[in-house]
């Protein structure tokens, strides 16, 4: 018990230091950095990852304001750098509470998944394979599943002949995040989300399917209209994640790429991305 108390105490102090820094980040102070010297093992990876991420965000902000970048390459990086610090804060808070109450093995698994997300986020590649994109999304959902045990189920599938198709990084994750922000009902125990990737004729299709709160007919029609039309003010008032994905999909695969929302007969929404496999120069 003494050893466990000391172990959890050390974790708690290190995580508390990270949380203090992330509180400053949520207040739009991007100049703060986490002290890496007093962190150990997985928490050191998290601290290093967050510091690298903050460096990257600061650089992106400088590029946008100083250069007013319009080229495709810079526009892609700017879209990818939209990160929700509240997710980082809430997950780190969960790690702290979990470390106090549970065993080290499960804690290590949670920290490992989160550290993997941070490492993936700091890598600068613009495109990834469909298989890797879904692996990243599974880690994202896993963290929510650990926070809400026995309430969330998920299933991801990708046809083996297209799992190496290259797509823009973070083309699926914002759609899953949108479900956890707007669609899920944590009072239920049958929440479910799935991603199916398959080929239809010459196109690649990605379906993100949930059984959540869904949308009214009017709202779904309006969102689909905004995904097609270029109405800047109205699009700004709609989900940033959805519009971000639609813009990057067309930026990379051309105007023939589509993103459409449908009602799921089991409740919730189906978001369908369709595009030709070949990527244009970006």
């Amino acid at each position: 018990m003494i050893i466990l108390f000391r172990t959890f105490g050390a974790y708690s102090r290190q995580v508390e230091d990270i949380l203090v820094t992330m509180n400053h980040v949520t207040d739009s102070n991007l100049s703060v950095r986490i002290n890496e010297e007093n962190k150990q093992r997985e928490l050191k990876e998290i601290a290093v990852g967050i510091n690298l991420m903050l460096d990257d965000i600061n650089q992106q902000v400088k590029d946008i304001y100083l250069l007013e970048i319009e080229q495709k390459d810079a526009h892609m990086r700017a879209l990818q750098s939209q990160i929700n610090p509240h997710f980082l804060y809430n997950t780190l808070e969960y790690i702290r509470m979990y470390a106090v109450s549970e065993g080290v093995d499960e804690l290590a698994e949670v920290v490992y998944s989160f550290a993997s997300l941070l490492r993936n986020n700091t890598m600068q590649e613009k495109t990834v394979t469909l298989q890797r994109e879904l692996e990243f999304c599974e880690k994202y959902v896993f963290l929510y599943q650990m926070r809400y045990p026995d309430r969330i189920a998920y299933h991801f599938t990708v046809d083996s002949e297209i799992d190496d198709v290259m797509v823009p990084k973070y083309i699926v994750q914002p759609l899953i995040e949108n479900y956890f922000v707007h669609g899920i009902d944590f009072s239920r125990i049958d929440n479910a989300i799935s991603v199916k990737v398959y080929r239809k004729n010459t196109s690649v299709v990605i379906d993100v399917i949930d059984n959540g709160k869904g949308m009214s007919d009017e709202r779904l029609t309006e969102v689909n209209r905004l995904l097609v039309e270029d109405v800047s003010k109205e699009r700004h008032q709609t989900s940033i994640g959805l519009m971000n994905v639609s813009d990057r999909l067309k930026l990379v695969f051309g105007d023939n790429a589509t993103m459409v929302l449908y009602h799921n007969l089991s409740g919730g929404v189906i978001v369908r991305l369709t595009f030709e496999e070949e990527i244009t120069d970006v």
Side-chain angles (χ1 to χ4, degrees), residues 117-225:
L117 295 183
L118 287 175
R119 284 194 298 270
N120 183 72
N121 186 69
T122 57
M123 297 179 69
Q124 294 299 314
E125 74 269 41
K126 294 173 291 185
T127 58
V128 295
T129 65
L130 278 169
Q131 185 66 38
R132 183 175 170 191
E133 176 73 2
L134 292 193
E135 288 174 356
F136 167 76
C137 292
E138 283 196 69
K139 288 182 173 63
Y140 182 92
V141 178
F142 170 74
L143 290 177
Y144 270 103
Q145 193 177 55
M146 291 298 292
R147 291 176 62 190
Y148 302 95
D150 303 321
R151 293 183 181 274
I152 302 170
Y154 65 93
H155 183 63
F156 295 170
T157 60
V158 53
D159 287 352
S160 58
E161 68 271 16
I162 57 174
D163 59 5
D164 60 349
V165 169
M166 301 300 294
V167 295
K169 192 175 180 180
Y170 304 129
I171 203 68
V172 178
Q173 184 270 341
L175 305 180
I176 295 175
E177 181 178 0
N178 193 67
Y179 162 68
F180 280 106
V181 173
H182 300 290
I184 196 169
D185 182 355
F186 289 109
S187 66
R188 292 167 47 182
I189 61 172
D190 62 343
N191 295 289
I193 185 167
S194 65
V195 179
K196 298 180 180 179
V197 184
Y198 55 94
R199 188 184 297 279
K200 184 175 182 180
N201 299 323
T202 61
S203 298
V204 175
V205 181
I206 303 175
D207 285 342
V208 180
I209 308 166
D210 69 70
N211 66 344
K213 300 175 183 178
M215 296 181 179
S216 65
D217 291 338
E218 294 77 10
R219 179 57 177 165
L220 187 139
T221 300
E222 179 69 5
V223 171
N224 281 331
R225 180 182 71 83

Side-chain angles (χ1 to χ4, degrees), residues 22-280:
M22 293 310 301
N23 270 325
H24 290 296
V25 174
T26 58
D27 291 333
S28 301
N29 182 1
L30 298 180
S31 64
V32 296
R33 294 295 181 271
I34 299 171
N35 182 5
E36 302 170 6
E37 295 181 358
N38 62 351
K39 304 300 181 294
Q40 298 177 353
R41 295 185 295 278
E42 296 90 349
L43 292 181
K44 185 175 182 65
E45 290 187 21
I46 291 177
V48 171
I50 291 176
N51 286 340
L52 289 174
M53 181 188 66
L54 290 173
D55 290 340
D56 183 63
I57 293 175
N58 271 326
Q59 185 60 48
Q60 298 302 325
V61 171
K62 291 179 181 178
D63 289 343
I64 292 171
Y65 280 95
L66 295 178
L67 302 178
E68 297 181 351
I69 298 173
E70 296 180 356
Q71 294 89 349
K72 288 183 178 180
D73 179 56
H75 183 52
M76 180 71 70
R77 291 199 307 271
L79 290 169
Q80 287 182 347
S81 67
Q82 293 185 11
I83 298 170
N84 184 355
H86 291 288
F87 172 71
L88 295 174
Y89 174 85
N90 290 336
T91 303
L92 287 170
E93 174 65 14
Y94 167 72
I95 293 175
R96 184 178 71 85
M97 298 302 296
Y98 204 84
V100 172
S101 61
E102 298 293 335
V104 175
D105 290 341
E106 292 184 357
L107 171 65
E109 188 174 5
V110 173
V111 172
Y112 172 77
S113 294
F114 188 52
S116 297
L117 295 183
L118 287 175
R119 284 194 298 270
N120 183 72
N121 186 69
T122 57
M123 297 179 69
Q124 294 299 314
E125 74 269 41
K126 294 173 291 185
T127 58
V128 295
T129 65
L130 278 169
Q131 185 66 38
R132 183 175 170 191
E133 176 73 2
L134 292 193
E135 288 174 356
F136 167 76
C137 292
E138 283 196 69
K139 288 182 173 63
Y140 182 92
V141 178
F142 170 74
L143 290 177
Y144 270 103
Q145 193 177 55
M146 291 298 292
R147 291 176 62 190
Y148 302 95
D150 303 321
R151 293 183 181 274
I152 302 170
Y154 65 93
H155 183 63
F156 295 170
T157 60
V158 53
D159 287 352
S160 58
E161 68 271 16
I162 57 174
D163 59 5
D164 60 349
V165 169
M166 301 300 294
V167 295
K169 192 175 180 180
Y170 304 129
I171 203 68
V172 178
Q173 184 270 341
L175 305 180
I176 295 175
E177 181 178 0
N178 193 67
Y179 162 68
F180 280 106
V181 173
H182 300 290
I184 196 169
D185 182 355
F186 289 109
S187 66
R188 292 167 47 182
I189 61 172
D190 62 343
N191 295 289
I193 185 167
S194 65
V195 179
K196 298 180 180 179
V197 184
Y198 55 94
R199 188 184 297 279
K200 184 175 182 180
N201 299 323
T202 61
S203 298
V204 175
V205 181
I206 303 175
D207 285 342
V208 180
I209 308 166
D210 69 70
N211 66 344
K213 300 175 183 178
M215 296 181 179
S216 65
D217 291 338
E218 294 77 10
R219 179 57 177 165
L220 187 139
T221 300
E222 179 69 5
V223 171
N224 281 331
R225 180 182 71 83
L226 295 175
L227 287 170
V228 175
E229 299 178 5
D230 186 13
V231 187
S232 299
K233 183 177 180 180
E234 293 181 75
R235 285 165 62 87
H236 179 71
Q237 296 172 347
T238 307
S239 170
I240 293 177
L242 293 179
M243 298 305 161
N244 188 325
V245 170
S246 178
D247 289 344
R248 291 192 293 121
L249 193 70
K250 293 178 180 178
L251 183 67
V252 172
F253 294 106
D255 292 335
N256 290 329
T258 62
M259 175 176 173
V260 184
L261 276 64
Y262 302 94
H263 288 301
N264 183 3
L265 296 180
S266 301
V269 173
I270 300 174
V271 182
R272 176 165 295 166
L273 310 180
T274 306
F275 57 90
E276 297 296 323
E277 182 174 340
E278 184 176 355
I279 294 181
T280 59

